[in-house]
Amino acid sequence: KVEENVLNLIAVLEADEALTQAIAIYGEERATELAERYGPMLPGAYKSGTDVDLALVDLEQFERLSPEREFTVGLRNEHSPERELTRVGLYKTGGKVRLSDFLPILEHLGLSVVEEVPTWLRDGGPGMYLHDIGVLGADDRPLDLDECRARLAEAIEAVWAGHAISDSLNRLVVTAGLSWRQVTVLRAYRTYRLRLGVAFTGPYENDAFARNPAIASKLIELFELRLDPARARDPGEEAALAAEIRADLDAVDSLDED
């Protein structure tokens, strides 16, 4: 019974491997429960074209959805003889989204969109939807998800939920290791500076930060050293970091960018 249900759920590799992986993650009872729920909802193209390990990742994300949580974002790397991509999954209740609304969020993070594979899970109602989007980083390679998975997923979710602005400064989430909240701090300083009448445009300043991610990261570190109420002030540490930033700025090739 368990084997039959798991094969109905993912149906892509040999039964023993599918069964072993599902039970190892969920246990026999939970694997059967999930298979009975999702098996009838998954389309045939998904069952025949998705590896077991990737299908189980998708299943975990669908399980996070609820009336209180209408969408979630998951990331995983795909390695196959045909392609190597980072896959960004937008898992949501109801139908599809306009790609013209969602893809610019990824592009503002410095990602190149290669493809989109949609999957609609039908349950007699609106069902659930997966936008499975293949992307590459700025170097045309998959992302190091061990380093950036949680931070990047949180940034995408924050923008999609309307908690953060989507612009090209968000590239620093990937290149400088900043959270979306830390990028918001830099954006606030950039916006204030523009209102003072600086000649450079917002996009130009975003590009300057993107070309110098280490300096952007140190600026945030200095901000937090000085203003984080949870940290004790250390004037010596602050002065040393400020001097380091000034030295880095002196080393920037473009006079406009420093």
Side-chain angles (χ1 to χ4, degrees), residues 6 9-10 17-28 31 52 56:
V6 173
L9 173 63
I10 43 186
E17 183 175 349
L19 179 61
T20 299
Q21 290 193 43
I23 291 178
I25 293 174
Y26 301 112
E28 183 172 323
V52 172
L56 293 175

Side-chain angles (χ1 to χ4, degrees), residues 7 9 18 28 62 74 82 88 93 104 123 130 132-133 136 214 238:
L7 287 177
L9 173 63
E28 183 172 323
F62 281 124
E82 296 79 22
V88 179
T93 57
D123 60 358
L130 164 61
D132 183 10
I133 301 167
L136 293 171
E238 294 171 18

Side-chain angles (χ1 to χ4, degrees), residues 238-248:
E238 294 171 18
L241 181 56
E244 189 176 328
I245 292 172
R246 285 193 292 270
D248 289 345

Side-chain angles (χ1 to χ4, degrees), residues 172 175-179 182 186 209 212-224 241 245 248:
L172 296 174
T175 61
L178 301 182
S179 71
Q182 291 173 321
L186 280 181
F209 274 122
N212 299 278
I215 295 177
S217 180
K218 290 178 182 179
L219 287 171
I220 285 295
E221 184 180 354
L222 182 60
F223 173 87
E224 293 175 349
L241 181 56
I245 292 172
D248 289 345

